Amino acid sequence: MSKEQLRFIDLFAGIGGFRLGFEGAGCKCVFSSEIDEHACKMYELNFGDNPKCDITQLDPKDVPDFDILCAGFPCQAFSICGKQKGFYDGTRGTLFFDICRILEKKKPRAFVLENVFNLGKHDSGRTLTVMLSVLSELGYTVVYKVLNARDFGVPQNRERIVIIGNREGRAFDYSKLKTNTIEAMKPFLDKTGDFEILPTDSYTILEQSLIKKQLKSGLIFCGYRNKKIRTVGVRPGTEHLSRVHKQPNRIYDVNGVHPTLASQESSGRYFIKDGNIVRKLTMDECFRFMGFPENYKKTGATASLYARIGNSICVNMVKAVAIEMVNQFFIGEEIMDKETKFLEDKYNEAEKVSKLEDTGLNAKQVKMVKIIVDKEETFKGVFTVLLTSLVYKCLHPEQDVRRHQANMENGYSGRSFDTKYITPFMKQKRFLGAMKESGWLTRSLEQNIPYSLDFPGKIQNKEVKAAFLNILHDVEEKQADPEKYVVAIMAYSIKCKKDKTVILVNPIEKENSLTIYEIMEALHSHFYFSYKSRGAAILPVVALYSVYQCIIEELKRFKGKSLDKLASHNSCDRSSGETGDIVVRNDKDNSIYEVIEVKFDIPINAIMIEDAYKKISGKPVQRYYLLSTVAPNEDEIVLINEMICKIREEHGCQIIVNGVFPTLKYYLRLLDNTDIFVERYVRNLSDNTEINFEHKIAWNKVCGDNN
């Protein structure tokens, strides 16, 4: 099919960002839908079509046949979990459901959806999980990625989630998008015009030494309007930090890019420093920063125009996506590799399974599958290695997949296969057992020994280890069908994921805030809850990280310091490249200032201090905390103190050995508002992918007890 024949529909059309992009790729718009009156007027002015249509009242039969559905839709939470009626039914009453109605009835070959970056975190991640599951239920192979407008030829740091689906089993390859990353907005500015210039006494420009370009975003925060700054959680003397100032009061240098144009901004408070003047962006510049053509016609009040452009989508980004969708789904000759197609096919089969017995496995085999999947979150490595082995066996039946390393006789590289295909697929489908890189990073599994029944790897749960080895034995020695195992594992994992949607309770949401004593009691109960699975050791780390997020904003000694993102707790420091669990750096040169290493129910000893010294000996670290939930053994205290003094003399670093609970209590006493700590702890529990379902349930139970 030639691209001139491709037809698309433009839902939640706005002012036509999707339409411009897809028409630029040679496609034809056959239907548009928009409810906002002002947006409809602008759309009709530029395209000759009035898209006025309430999608909630639209009968799909009235929509012309089309090939691609486009929609930049509002984000809404869903009312039910989907345990009984299914995710699709659980979206009723939302605008996303109306998209699904059209997909179900019209069955287009492809779709592209766009939403805000935070969709992945909306409703604790549940919203995106539901969407991906629903779209898969409708028969589409679905992939998503966060794209940034500045990578597509416009000077705006604007991150958006783009979700693409295909009915023919093809997974869209985002790596083939043609990009053009922009570093500065200056070439995109109007040369002349009636600029709205700010009086010099109405703003402050930072000293040159405080101005630096943010590497990831490309922003250069260089000053601020002399307006009231934020006070909650802000320490004195931090006016040089952009986050201290509300977005409409920030000023950005034209040698960097511009921050996201916001939909809620109705007065155009976008201020830039161009040479010796500070001025507002013009309306034409705002439209240019979204990739709209120079001849695009504008009408209506200024406030309405700002709202329309802030709600639109980057035209350049849409065009790049449209070109690749046409190439990959319609006119391209490239066929999806057999590995990805196999995974997609089996996943689609798995979604239709109602009972595991329907997969063709016997009762004993089903029991082993349930043992593995029930512990999927806790034993991610086992889950991933098993799925990798079974998929490889399906595709290469001659290979004994128990021989998982290439240097074994007649072996293969299971880790390479996993890294290239399995883990990316699991992350895309949001399996609870998805790891950051590979299941073989788990030390108990990455051994140069085949996975035979006598495999000595220290998989701590005996049932899980036995099920893992016996499934591989069943496939290799008894010729059990590996495809049945793959489908069953995926099917049960999908079911468990649906059942494990947890909304975390914030105990602050009551009339009076918690006392420090109550907070400490809740944390202690959470750390030492009666868990069936492993992984509770990460909880003290998350608590300390949360309190550091607070104190780094409030304490003087952290002025000019930043907190690293929390590293993986499942990787050792050597493999993750970190010096400890929590790292504080100097903003000036990115050197390490302070490190916190946390032990759960393991007493600190002299060997640990010696190991810590090896990690920091060549670094200018000022403090290194070794914190444990239990006290050191008495016979170690003298050795510990001797080692601390030695390091102080040789290096200058203060090694501080203390308890987790006394440290938390001390820092909480220093905070102006301990509610912020609790809010951050809850948020970190929700966002951290290494926090198990059981740990989230435990927090809710602890909060229930405290309330």
Side-chain angles (χ1 to χ4, degrees):
M1 178 181 287
S2 68
K3 60 185 179 182
E4 284 76 20
Q5 295 174 298
L6 292 177
R7 299 149 299 172
F8 69 95
I9 65 170
D10 190 10
L11 306 181
F12 308 97
I15 57 175
F18 261 115
R19 180 160 180 166
L20 286 168
F22 269 82
E23 287 185 342
C27 302
K28 180 181 179 182
C29 183
V30 295
F31 178 81
S32 304
S33 172
E34 174 57 52
I35 198 170
D36 182 87
E37 293 282 357
H38 180 237
C40 288
K41 287 179 182 177
M42 288 186 66
Y43 197 96
E44 185 174 18
L45 182 64
N46 284 277
F47 303 108
D49 299 333
N50 189 331
K52 188 62 184 294
C53 171
D54 184 349
I55 193 172
T56 64
Q57 305 300 315
L58 177 65
D59 188 337
K61 294 178 182 177
D62 297 332
V63 178
D65 290 339
F66 60 95
D67 304 291
I68 304 171
L69 177 146
C70 305
F73 63 100
C75 181
Q76 295 171 282
F78 303 125
S79 59
I80 66 173
C81 182
K83 286 184 183 180
Q84 298 168 348
K85 299 183 180 180
F87 275 174
Y88 182 27
D89 201 65
T91 66
R92 287 187 184 278
T94 70
L95 296 172
F96 176 73
F97 175 76
D98 295 298
I99 294 173
C100 294
R101 284 193 304 112
I102 297 171
L103 288 174
E104 184 179 37
K105 297 294 183 185
K106 304 297 291 187
K107 295 180 171 54
R109 292 172 65 183
F111 67 77
V112 54
L113 311 179
E114 177 263 357
N115 213 294
V116 295
F117 169 75
N118 280 333
L119 175 65
K121 296 180 180 179
H122 188 261
D123 197 11
S124 302
R126 178 172 172 267
T127 300
L128 182 57
T129 295
V130 172
M131 287 178 179
L132 297 176
S133 296
V134 169
L135 295 168
S136 294
E137 283 178 17
L138 293 174
Y140 288 89
T141 295
V142 187
V143 292
Y144 71 94
K145 187 178 178 65
V146 175
L147 300 179
N148 195 328
R150 74 176 288 233
D151 293 327
F152 297 91
V154 296
Q156 182 188 178
N157 180 59
R158 186 183 189 88
E159 291 184 308
R160 291 294 186 267
I161 280 183
V162 176
I163 306 170
I164 297 175
N166 175 258
R167 279 192 69 84
E168 295 158 342
R170 292 192 177 190
F172 184 78
D173 186 351
Y174 285 91
S175 69
K176 294 184 177 179
L177 290 174
K178 290 184 179 179
T179 57
N180 172 27
T181 302
I182 300 300
E183 297 296 337
M185 64 180 107
K186 190 170 181 63
F188 295 80
L189 299 177
D190 291 337
K191 302 298 185 291
T192 58
D194 186 17
F195 298 136
E196 188 172 339
I197 300 173
L198 291 183
T200 55
D201 61 352
S202 68
Y203 60 85
T204 298
I205 297 299
L206 302 178
E207 295 178 14
Q208 193 60 41
S209 62
L210 298 175
I211 300 174
K212 58 183 180 180
K213 191 171 192 174
Q214 296 178 20
L215 295 179
K216 182 182 177 183
S217 67
L219 301 173
I220 302 177
F221 172 72
C222 66
Y224 52 89
R225 292 202 299 161
N226 299 329
K227 300 284 185 178
K228 185 178 179 181
I229 66 173
R230 292 193 170 106
T231 55
V232 178
V234 174
R235 62 181 184 272
T238 58
E239 286 82 2
H240 63 290
L241 300 177
S242 60
R243 63 175 177 267
V244 174
H245 307 275
K246 294 181 179 180
Q247 183 66 55
N249 297 327
R250 301 174 192 173
I251 300 170
Y252 292 91
D253 194 285
V254 297
N255 293 306
V257 300
H258 197 275
T260 301
L261 300 177
S263 59
Q264 65 270 26
E265 179 53 57
S266 59
S267 58
R269 291 174 293 180
Y270 302 122
F271 297 101
I272 58 173
K273 180 179 181 294
D274 188 4
N276 295 321
I277 66 168
V278 172
R279 65 172 180 86
K280 275 188 182 183
L281 282 183
T282 67
M283 187 66 70
D284 286 344
E285 288 167 341
C286 288
F287 275 74
R288 197 175 298 136
F289 283 16
M290 291 291 283
F292 279 75
E294 294 298 312
N295 62 354
Y296 188 87
K297 301 169 186 173
K298 309 173 188 69
T299 186
T302 300
S304 298
L305 286 171
Y306 279 126
R308 296 291 79 72
I309 195 63
N311 243 332
S312 189
I313 187 171
C314 173
V315 174
N316 297 19
M317 186 174 78
V318 173
K319 183 177 178 180
V321 168
I323 289 171
E324 272 309 310
M325 286 183 71
V326 170
N327 289 338
Q328 293 182 38
F329 295 161
F330 297 95
I331 64 174
E333 295 300 323
E334 181 180 342
I335 304 297
M336 184 194 305
D337 55 63
K338 64 178 182 179
E339 292 84 1
T340 304
K341 187 174 190 314
F342 177 84
L343 287 166
E344 289 289 348
D345 288 345
K346 295 304 114 180
Y347 189 84
N348 290 335
E349 282 184 42
E351 287 195 307
K352 298 170 185 174
V353 172
S354 55
K355 295 186 299 182
L356 290 189
E357 290 75 12
D358 296 341
T359 60
L361 297 182
N362 61 40
K364 182 179 178 181
Q365 292 168 327
V366 166
K367 183 178 179 181
M368 290 192 293
V369 166
K370 287 185 174 181
I371 288 171
I372 294 293
V373 178
D374 282 338
K375 299 294 184 182
E376 176 183 353
E377 276 191 281
T378 307
F379 293 92
K380 293 181 178 181
V382 174
F383 181 86
T384 304
V385 169
L386 179 59
L387 192 59
T388 300
S389 303
L390 293 169
V391 171
Y392 197 90
K393 184 67 179 179
C394 294
L395 299 171
H396 305 275
E398 75 288 349
Q399 176 65 52
D400 185 338
V401 291
R402 294 173 298 184
R403 298 184 169 275
H404 56 91
Q405 291 188 359
N407 58 4
M408 294 178 181
E409 186 178 357
N410 299 320
Y412 80 109
S413 179
R415 178 173 176 173
S416 298
F417 186 76
D418 171 25
T419 303
K420 185 174 181 180
Y421 297 110
I422 307 302
T423 289
F425 176 80
M426 289 173 59
K427 289 164 71 175
Q428 188 66 55
K429 298 299 185 184
R430 299 170 74 87
F431 278 86
L432 298 175
M435 299 189 73
K436 289 183 180 292
E437 297 174 41
S438 167
W440 269 266
L441 292 178
T442 307
R443 283 169 285 185
S444 61
L445 292 166
E446 192 177 23
Q447 299 186 28
N448 191 24
I449 304 169
Y451 295 138
S452 54
L453 291 178
D454 58 354
F455 176 69
K458 294 181 180 179
I459 300 170
Q460 293 187 7
N461 186 296
K462 292 181 180 179
E463 271 196 322
V464 170
K465 181 178 181 180
F468 168 66
L469 297 175
N470 274 289
I471 288 175
L472 293 179
H473 180 81
D474 194 26
V475 168
E476 294 294 353
E477 300 296 336
K478 300 180 181 179
Q479 286 70 55
D481 188 347
E483 284 195 28
K484 292 179 180 178
Y485 272 118
V486 169
V487 173
I489 288 171
M490 288 185 176
Y492 193 52
S493 178
I494 291 168
K495 177 186 181 300
C496 290
K497 180 174 66 176
K498 291 180 179 181
D499 291 345
K500 288 182 177 181
T501 300
V502 180
I503 307 302
L504 290 169
V505 172
N506 184 350
I508 295 302
E509 293 177 356
K510 59 182 197 175
E511 191 170 339
N512 298 311
S513 297
L514 299 179
T515 65
I516 291 177
Y517 173 80
E518 288 172 322
I519 293 172
M520 293 304 300
E521 284 288 298
L523 292 174
H524 191 279
S525 298
H526 193 210
F527 298 170
Y528 287 100
F529 199 83
S530 181
Y531 295 111
K532 294 179 181 178
S533 60
R534 297 182 299 116
I538 194 176
L539 299 178
V541 178
V542 173
L544 284 158
Y545 186 78
S546 303
V547 83
Y548 259 82
Q549 286 179 311
C550 299
I551 64 173
I552 204 164
E553 295 177 351
E554 293 193 22
L555 300 191
K556 271 187 180 178
R557 75 179 178 89
F558 290 112
K559 184 177 181 180
K561 309 291 188 297
S562 298
L563 189 63
D564 277 6
K565 288 184 178 179
L566 197 59
S568 171
H569 194 67
N570 292 333
S571 301
C572 64
D573 294 337
R574 185 177 299 171
S575 65
S576 66
E578 300 297 339
T579 50
D581 295 301
I582 300 169
V583 178
V584 180
R585 295 183 184 272
N586 293 299
D587 290 341
K588 188 175 181 181
D589 56 8
N590 206 40
S591 61
I592 297 176
Y593 170 72
E594 186 166 304
V595 177
I596 302 90
E597 191 169 342
V598 185
K599 303 294 181 185
F600 186 63
D601 279 1
I602 301 173
I604 307 299
N605 57 39
I607 295 175
M608 293 177 188
I609 295 175
E610 189 174 1
D611 288 342
Y613 188 28
K614 289 176 182 175
K615 288 189 282 187
I616 65 167
S617 58
K619 300 182 174 101
V621 180
Q622 300 295 309
R623 299 186 184 192
Y624 197 108
Y625 288 86
L626 280 156
L627 307 177
S628 176
T629 53
V630 293
N633 297 325
E634 288 188 14
D635 56 353
E636 285 282 337
I637 293 176
V638 174
L639 291 173
I640 289 172
N641 289 333
E642 288 177 355
M643 186 64 70
I644 289 173
C645 292
K646 177 187 174 186
I647 295 170
R648 181 70 169 166
E649 289 176 8
E650 292 182 2
H651 182 281
C653 177
Q654 292 185 61
I655 303 290
I656 302 166
V657 176
N658 202 358
V660 166
F661 294 107
T663 302
L664 283 168
K665 186 184 251 184
Y666 171 73
Y667 281 141
L668 286 173
R669 286 172 177 165
L670 297 179
L671 297 181
D672 290 338
N673 184 357
T674 55
D675 289 2
I676 296 174
F677 161 76
V678 178
E679 289 170 3
R680 284 184 172 162
Y681 184 59
V682 171
R683 189 186 312 149
N684 289 330
L685 288 178
S686 177
D687 293 346
N688 194 308
T689 57
E690 294 177 15
I691 301 295
N692 288 350
F693 163 74
E694 190 180 9
H695 301 141
K696 296 178 181 180
I697 290 294
W699 176 253
N700 286 353
K701 288 182 178 178
V702 166
C703 293
D705 292 341
N706 287 339
N707 287 329

